[in-house]
Amino acid sequence: MEIERINESTVKCYISYKDIEDRGFDRDEIWYNRERGEELFFEMINEAHDRENFEIEGPLWIQVQALDNGMEIVVTRGQITDGNVKLEIPVSQSKGEDMPVDDNIVDMLDEQFRSSQKSRQAHGDSDYLEIVISFDDLEDLLALSQAFAPVGVQNEIYHFEGTYYLYLMFDNQYSEDEQDDMVSHVLEYGEESDVSIFRIREYGKTVAASQGLETLRQTFS
C-alpha cells in the first residue's frame, strides 16, 4: 500500500486489489459488506497512523475513488473550534465517492487506536483471540520459546524494522480465561504491539510462518 502525506490534516492512500486480496479481503465485499469495508479502512488508516504519524481525532472526511487496479482513499481530519467543525478539504478533479463518516465509525476508529490490538472477533460460529507481541531482543523471544509451548495455537514469527514479532491466534479450543492467562504469560517476555499483522506480513521478513515458537525451540535447543 502507498501512503502520501498531503498536509498536516490529510493523507492519501492507494491500495491495489492484489494487496486487498493478500490481506484476506474479497475485492467485491469491501463495497457491499459494510463491516468488511470498515475493517479494511481501519487497516489502512492504522498504517497511515504508524508510517506518517497521522492522528485520528475528531470528525473525518473521506473520499474514495475506485480505479482499474485498486482504489484511492483521501482522509482529511477536521478540527473542532467552539463547537464548529472546520475541514480543509484538498481540491480534487477526480470523480470519487465522498463518504462523510458517521459518529459510529468515528467511535470505532477512536476505539481502534486507544485500545490494544488484542481482540476477540467473530469467526464462523466461534470466537477467536488474536494478538501481536513485539520483542526488541531476540533473546527474549528465545526464552519465551523455551517456557511457552502453545498447543493448537497458531503462532507466526516475523522480523520487521529491527523488531521481532510473534503473532498468536487462539480459537475456541480454550476458554477466555485460559486465553488471557496464556497471553499474560507471553507478555512477561514481550510487549503488545499496535503494528498490524497484515503490514508485518507484507513488509517484514518471515522467520517462521507456522509453529514459530516450536521452530525456535528446536533450532536453538
Side-chain angles (χ1 to χ4, degrees):
M1 184 177 76
E2 300 175 7
I3 301 175
E4 178 184 355
R5 187 67 178 259
I6 304 300
N7 54 42
E8 183 179 351
S9 59
T10 302
V11 293
K12 179 168 67 175
C13 306
Y14 169 78
I15 186 168
S16 67
Y17 289 125
K18 182 180 184 303
D19 190 356
I20 290 173
E21 292 172 352
D22 288 343
R23 293 166 184 259
F25 297 87
D26 184 272
R27 60 182 294 176
D28 293 325
E29 71 177 349
I30 61 174
W31 299 108
Y32 302 109
N33 186 317
R34 179 183 175 87
E35 291 185 0
R36 292 290 283 170
E38 289 176 357
E39 185 178 347
L40 175 62
F41 175 76
F42 296 155
E43 191 63 45
M44 296 174 67
I45 206 66
N46 195 13
E47 290 191 26
H49 171 77
D50 292 337
R51 290 159 59 178
E52 297 293 337
N53 196 28
F54 185 71
E55 298 293 339
I56 303 299
E57 296 178 352
L60 300 176
W61 177 87
I62 304 173
Q63 182 185 51
V64 180
Q65 182 181 11
L67 306 175
D68 291 339
N69 297 318
M71 65 179 185
E72 182 181 89
I73 298 179
V74 177
V75 181
T76 298
R77 180 183 62 236
Q79 297 180 348
I80 301 178
T81 304
D82 297 329
N84 297 316
V85 177
K86 179 182 179 182
L87 285 173
E88 296 181 358
I89 300 173
V91 177
S92 174
Q93 300 301 320
S94 61
K95 296 181 179 179
E97 179 183 356
D98 296 348
M99 300 175 60
V101 181
D102 61 29
D103 292 338
N104 290 334
I105 300 179
V106 172
D107 290 342
M108 292 175 70
L109 282 169
D110 186 62
E111 181 180 356
Q112 175 79 1
F113 291 108
R114 295 181 186 277
S115 65
S116 66
Q117 183 171 318
K118 183 179 67 174
S119 59
R120 286 189 173 84
Q121 303 184 23
H123 186 66
D125 295 329
S126 61
D127 290 340
Y128 67 86
L129 171 71
E130 60 178 357
I131 186 172
V132 176
I133 310 294
S134 64
F135 302 83
D136 293 329
D137 193 333
L138 177 60
E139 292 300 323
D140 292 332
L141 183 55
L142 292 176
L144 173 63
S145 71
Q146 299 296 325
F148 181 61
V151 177
V153 177
Q154 180 178 340
N155 61 101
E156 308 166 10
I157 297 175
Y158 300 88
H159 187 256
F160 176 56
E161 295 185 344
T163 301
Y164 288 91
Y165 291 92
L166 170 67
Y167 169 72
L168 297 173
M169 188 178 79
F170 303 81
D171 57 24
N172 61 349
Q173 174 181 349
Y174 298 98
S175 68
E176 289 189 8
D177 288 341
E178 290 173 328
Q179 293 174 6
D180 290 338
D181 287 343
M182 285 188 281
V183 169
S184 296
H185 182 48
V186 172
L187 289 175
E188 295 176 6
Y189 297 84
E191 296 182 353
E192 192 172 348
S193 174
D194 290 329
V195 181
S196 159
I197 184 57
F198 298 106
R199 182 182 176 195
I200 294 171
R201 284 171 176 162
E202 181 175 359
Y203 299 106
K205 178 180 178 181
T206 302
V207 177
S210 63
Q211 302 304 316
L213 292 175
E214 181 179 352
T215 299
L216 286 187
R217 185 166 54 253
Q218 292 177 351
T219 303
F220 293 95
S221 61

